[in-house]
Amino acid sequence: MSLSDKDKAAVKLLWSKISKSSDAIGNDALSRMIVVYPQTKTYFAHWPDLSPGSPHVKAHGKTVMGGIALAVSKIDDLRAGLLDLSEQHAYKLRVDPANFKILSHCILVVISMMFPKEFTPEAHVSLDKFLSGVSLALSERYR
Amino acid sequence: MVEWTDQERATISSIFGSLDYDDIGPKALSRCLIVYPWTQRHFGSFGNLYNAEAIIGNQKVAAHGIKVLHGLDRAVKNMDNIKEIYAELSILHSEKLHVDPDNFKLLADCLTIVVAAKMGSGFNPGTQATFQKFLAVVVSALGKQYH
């Protein structure tokens, strides 16, 4: 299920419309992930406050969306483009890759809420494929 | 036995009470067929599913989407015994329709996204958690009679 030229164009187009809100998207997606999938809290035990919109959550949402922005710029070769991030997730953070799917779903829900007109079924399938590709690239260095 | 708080019951009741089934049903099913095209496997007799435009304009898809959403009504009205309520439907999906139970989760995800689009900021984290809990129970019940 690799990205076609049509998928890449759709992702870039959607990103151009939503990227100015990327901090808000990251904050909302991470906030609700922690609430909807409480098992993800295990990765943030070192934060004093895990409530939606709290300072640590907000800052981290921004960091995550920075990674997504990087991925959009490296859309022609996600594996190579995200190698450093993959090393970080594999050796330092050791996030179980199953969680990439969970956060991807939350990102899709937030984009759907914030941009219902732009998030057409066609944009959705391309973005879903893209986030799957990002998840796969992030898993590259795990084993 | 699934435990529901009063708040969760009220949330589910409120969400479904506010949905226009004729709008949301077709949107959810057509999105599922577009985003996860292998689900089209079950709709060979529905005519033109060639591209997103065709799927969205397909009357059979729309009608079936409405039917599926009304199927959720039973669970909304009987939240305390969803497993029993769906036993027959589970057998139907397994033995007659031959639907891979993984597909239920895909449709549930699309329904979540369509409801999120409709509710906007009202679809807050707590609401999403309750809605997904409800759909997870439905999905589990529909898969229960497979063997």
Side-chain angles (χ1 to χ4, degrees), chain B residues 44-55:
Chain B
S45 65
F46 275 29
N48 186 2
L49 299 179
Y50 191 61
N51 54 32
E53 212 187 311
I55 291 170

Side-chain angles (χ1 to χ4, degrees), chain B residues 8-135:
Chain B
E8 286 170 333
R9 290 175 199 275
T11 298
I12 293 302
S13 209
S14 162
I15 292 176
F16 280 89
S18 74
L19 293 182
D20 175 3
Y21 285 35
D22 290 348
D23 175 54
I24 298 292
K27 280 191 169 130
L29 184 61
S30 61
R31 192 167 281 252
C32 186
L33 296 175
I34 292 165
V35 179
Y36 307 108
W38 53 94
T39 57
Q40 291 170 25
R41 164 177 184 249
H42 302 287
F43 303 103
S45 65
F46 275 29
N48 186 2
L49 299 179
Y50 191 61
N51 54 32
E53 212 187 311
I55 291 170
I56 290 168
N58 186 308
Q59 287 310 303
K60 286 185 172 175
V61 171
H64 197 68
I66 297 171
K67 187 174 175 182
V68 166
L69 205 57
H70 278 293
L72 287 176
D73 273 344
R74 269 190 263 181
V76 175
K77 293 184 169 63
N78 296 281
M79 283 174 72
D80 289 313
N81 48 347
I82 292 176
K83 196 168 77 179
E84 292 78 14
I85 293 285
Y86 280 146
E88 253 186 75
L89 267 177
S90 178
I91 294 172
L92 174 79
H93 282 77
S94 161
E95 300 189 359
K96 186 152 171 280
L97 304 174
H98 307 295
V99 179
D100 182 339
D102 273 355
N103 289 178
F104 303 145
K105 184 150 194 327
L106 300 179
L107 180 57
D109 282 351
C110 285
L111 181 59
T112 300
I113 279 169
V114 167
V115 168
K118 183 188 168 283
M119 291 180 67
S121 56
F123 199 63
N124 60 48
T127 302
Q128 181 181 348
T130 300
F131 192 65
Q132 290 195 193
K133 177 180 170 180
F134 173 76
L135 289 180

Side-chain angles (χ1 to χ4, degrees), chain A residues 6-142:
Chain A
K6 188 171 165 223
D7 289 320
K8 291 179 191 178
V11 169
K12 287 181 189 168
L13 179 64
L14 184 64
W15 184 251
S16 73
K17 294 176 181 169
I18 72 178
S19 61
K20 58 183 168 358
S21 308
S22 78
D23 286 359
I25 293 171
N27 181 21
D28 198 339
L30 201 66
S31 293
R32 65 181 58 228
M33 180 189 80
I34 288 168
V35 170
V36 180
Y37 303 93
Q39 69 269 25
T40 58
K41 286 195 286 192
T42 53
Y43 292 98
F44 307 111
H46 54 291
W47 290 349
D49 182 3
L50 285 172
S51 55
S54 72
H56 278 96
V57 173
K58 211 166 172 176
H60 197 64
K62 193 173 171 177
T63 302
V64 167
M65 292 310 284
I68 299 287
L70 173 69
V72 174
S73 74
K74 305 282 184 188
I75 202 168
D76 289 319
D77 191 348
L78 288 172
R79 212 173 128 270
L82 298 180
L83 217 47
D84 285 344
L85 271 175
S86 181
E87 294 248 351
Q88 189 189 12
H89 283 75
Y91 296 112
K92 193 162 162 273
L93 304 172
R94 287 183 281 212
V95 177
D96 188 316
N99 295 290
F100 301 150
K101 207 167 194 287
I102 287 175
L103 182 55
S104 295
H105 172 70
C106 290
I107 290 172
L108 292 177
V109 168
V110 170
I111 292 174
S112 179
M113 283 164 58
M114 290 175 66
F115 301 94
K117 284 203 181 62
E118 291 85 347
F119 198 56
T120 60
E122 280 153 303
H124 180 170
V125 59
S126 294
L127 192 65
D128 191 46
K129 286 174 75 176
F130 169 70
L131 291 175
S132 302
V134 170
S135 303
L136 195 61
L138 279 178
S139 315
E140 176 69 27
R141 305 294 288 163
Y142 270 65

